């Protein structure tokens, strides 16, 4: 699903993003507020859905090559986050929907989790 | 003589500057990508450095991160002056955390940091002395076939 | 929709309070920041989180959630289960990440 279509479906506002980035095809997603959780289990190319608006979310997105961030619950990213996202080229969206609704809608459109399942005691996994 | 692909970088970090967490990781990632290191390897290095950085910022007064790029591996070392870790075994367990509410509300401090570093490293070493500081070493192999 | 329907369809492992699985679930909330969950979730929600600390039981009880689903293979602390058993708050675990857990529950809620 293209980022532009996701914006429509979530009635989202595009805060940072170029016309090229609107054409990015999103296949997977990851929802979390805990940044250590994102660092551990998000995968490159996924769409991150979070309520945490600090610059660290954007920095993690860059570290992991995450395709973009959707801030849910109407949360507005901090000004510094916006600045860093522009610099690092990470698209930022904002939706009024809660994370439950956001994930539910995207899942219904065929987007899947960027990891399917966790096995206890998993050692290194390809990211 | 060193081969062209080998190089070393040092970054010092001051503790308690939470708003800056991740900056070092991002900068080093850019440098490694410019050097042509495979993306998958760079992502693992970026995660390890991110976690190390967050640890220093959360628990230490000062610290530094040194990274060394060798032809077949990347070595990351972090050393800090700070409170240290009393029980290293316990601290490596997922979910164990001594973080305060401030760190938790920033989305960290869920007790996954050291476990994460270990997970993304091929070799992981840690030493710590209470009241003095902590040393962490992570080696990530550059497996050219896999990446 | 009752909680036990979700538990069955999602193949969740219930850690405590089986006797309360007949509870009605009226909505869902995902969140890991406790202050946010307190501020924005509703009573009757099934709460999906990666937090395992015993504070989640206090939050879920306060907000009268139907139950808590801990995701991504994480296990609740011993204290958490004890406290939940005392409060009658069902705790379930899933090895799936939040996105998949929610996607499936959302589907169950809207299309069954």
């Amino acid at each position: 699903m293209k980022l532009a279509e996701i914006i429509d479906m979530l009635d989202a506002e595009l805060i940072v993003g170029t016309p090229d980035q609107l054409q990015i095809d999103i296949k997977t997603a990851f929802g979390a507020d805990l940044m250590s959780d994102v660092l551990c289990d998000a995968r490159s190319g996924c769409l991150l859905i979070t309520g945490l608006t600090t610059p660290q979310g954007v920095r993690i997105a860059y570290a992991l090559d995450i395709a973009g961030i959707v801030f849910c619950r109407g949360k507005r990213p901090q000004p510094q986050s916006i600045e860093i996202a522009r610099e690092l080229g990470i698209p930022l969206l904002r939706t009024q929907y809660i994370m439950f609704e956001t994930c539910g809608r995207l899942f219904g459109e065929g987007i899947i989790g960027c990891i399917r399942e966790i096995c206890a005691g998993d050692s290194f996994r390809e990211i | 003589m060193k081969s062209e692909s080998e190089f070393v970088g040092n970054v010092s970090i001051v503790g308690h500057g939470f708003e800056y967490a991740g900056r070092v990781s991002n900068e080093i990632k850019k440098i490694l990508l410019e050097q042509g290191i495979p993306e998958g390897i760079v992502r693992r290095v970026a995660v390890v450095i991110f976690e190390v950085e967050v640890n220093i910022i959360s628990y230490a007064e000062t610290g530094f991160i040194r990274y060394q790029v060798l032809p077949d591996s990347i070595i990351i070392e972090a050393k800090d002056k700070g409170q240290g870790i009393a029980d290293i075994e316990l601290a490596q367990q997922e979910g164990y955390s001594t973080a305060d509410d401030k760190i938790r509300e920033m989305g960290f401090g869920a007790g996954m940091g050291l476990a994460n570093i270990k997970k993304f490293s091929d070799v992981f070493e840690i030493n710590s002395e209470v009241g003095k500081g902590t040393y962490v070493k992570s080696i990530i192999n550059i497996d050219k076939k896999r990446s | 929709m009752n909680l036990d329907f979700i538990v069955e369809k999602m193949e969740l492992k219930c850690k405590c309070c089986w006797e309360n699985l007949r509870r009605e679930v009226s909505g869902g909330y995902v969140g890991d920041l406790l202050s946010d969950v307190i501020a924005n979730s509703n009573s009757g929600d099934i709460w999906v989180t990666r937090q395992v600390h015993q504070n989640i039981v206090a939050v879920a009880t306060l907000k009268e959630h139907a139950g808590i689903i801990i995701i991504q293979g994480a296990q609740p602390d011993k204290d958490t289960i004890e406290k939940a058993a005392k409060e009658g708050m069902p705790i379930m675990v899933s090895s799936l990440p939040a996105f998949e857990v929610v996607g499936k529950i959302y589907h169950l809620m809207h299309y069954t």
Side-chain angles (χ1 to χ4, degrees), chain C residues 32-84:
Chain C
D32 303 317
L33 304 172
L34 302 188
S35 49
D36 162 65
V37 179
I38 292 172
N40 297 319
S41 64
N42 294 314
S43 72
D45 277 351
I46 178 78
W47 177 23
V48 179
T49 188
R50 173 63 178 73
Q51 296 277 18
V52 294
H53 191 267
Q54 57 161 320
N55 287 348
I56 61 175
V57 180
V59 171
T61 309
L62 171 76
K63 298 297 292 192
E64 297 170 1
H65 290 157
I68 306 171
I69 301 177
I70 295 176
I71 47 119
Q72 228 153 283
Q75 293 296 326
D77 294 343
K78 197 166 147 272
D79 299 350
T80 308
I81 295 178
E82 279 168 16
K83 200 166 166 191

Side-chain angles (χ1 to χ4, degrees), chain A residues 33-37 39-40 44 52 56 59-60 62-65 87-88 122-127, chain B residues 18-19 21-23 26 29-30 43-44 46-47 50-51 105-108 110 112 116 119-120 146:
Chain A
D33 292 324
L34 293 178
M35 290 298 119
S36 31
D37 195 11
L39 268 172
C40 184
S44 65
L52 202 79
Q56 279 68 50
R59 295 208 179 278
I60 290 174
Y62 179 74
L64 287 169
D65 297 313
E87 182 203 321
L88 298 174
D122 242 8
S123 59
F124 165 67
R125 299 182 300 270
E126 200 65 56
I127 52 170
Chain B
F18 212 97
E19 56 276 28
R23 205 162 61 163
N26 286 172
K29 175 167 180 170
K30 279 184 209 162
R43 276 199 287 275
R44 288 170 64 192
V47 170
F50 211 110
E51 292 284 11
E105 283 300 306
M106 303 287 286
F108 288 96
M112 292 154 81
N116 265 359
K119 203 171 272 180
F120 291 117
R146 195 164 64 183

